[in-house]
């Protein structure tokens, strides 16, 4: 829930209040926190050897990701 997409500004946004790792959050400004969160998700997505399921909680992020990731039914 901490990551979303803002279609009006065409940007990925981070909600600091929904990110719960206090050790990371305490020593980071918003820009660094955003890079950390995006890097974490990128790492997880790249490690899927036989595939990976992606679920976006936020509808804007879901629609944004559908432009790049084709669903398999």
């Amino acid at each position: 829930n901490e990551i979303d997409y803002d279609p009006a500004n065409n940007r990925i946004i981070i909600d600091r209040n929904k990110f719960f790792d206090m050790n990371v959050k305490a020593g980071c400004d918003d820009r660094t926190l955003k890079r950390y969160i995006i890097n974490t998700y990128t790492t997880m997505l790249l490690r899927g050897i036989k595939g990976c399921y992606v679920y976006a909680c936020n509808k804007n992020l879901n629609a944004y990701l559908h432009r790049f990731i084709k669903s398999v039914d």
Side-chain angles (χ1 to χ4, degrees):
N1 286 327
E2 71 272 5
I3 187 169
D4 201 355
Y5 175 71
D6 178 9
N9 294 315
N10 193 30
R11 299 178 33 195
I12 298 291
I13 55 173
I14 301 299
D15 186 347
R16 190 177 196 67
N17 296 322
K18 293 181 181 176
F19 184 72
F20 296 107
D21 187 336
M22 295 300 185
N23 293 325
V24 172
K25 194 163 60 168
C28 290
D29 60 2
D30 288 345
R31 185 175 183 192
T32 304
L33 182 62
K34 180 178 179 179
R35 282 197 332 250
Y36 175 82
I37 292 171
I38 290 174
N39 185 53
T40 300
Y41 282 108
T42 301
T43 302
M44 287 189 293
L45 289 170
L46 291 173
R47 291 189 179 182
I49 295 171
K50 293 186 178 183
C52 182
Y53 287 97
V54 177
Y55 178 80
C57 298
N58 304 321
K59 68 178 185 174
N60 288 335
L61 183 60
N62 190 322
Y64 175 75
L65 292 174
H66 266 278
R67 292 191 285 178
F68 305 100
I69 303 171
K70 302 299 178 201
S71 61
V72 178
D73 295 326

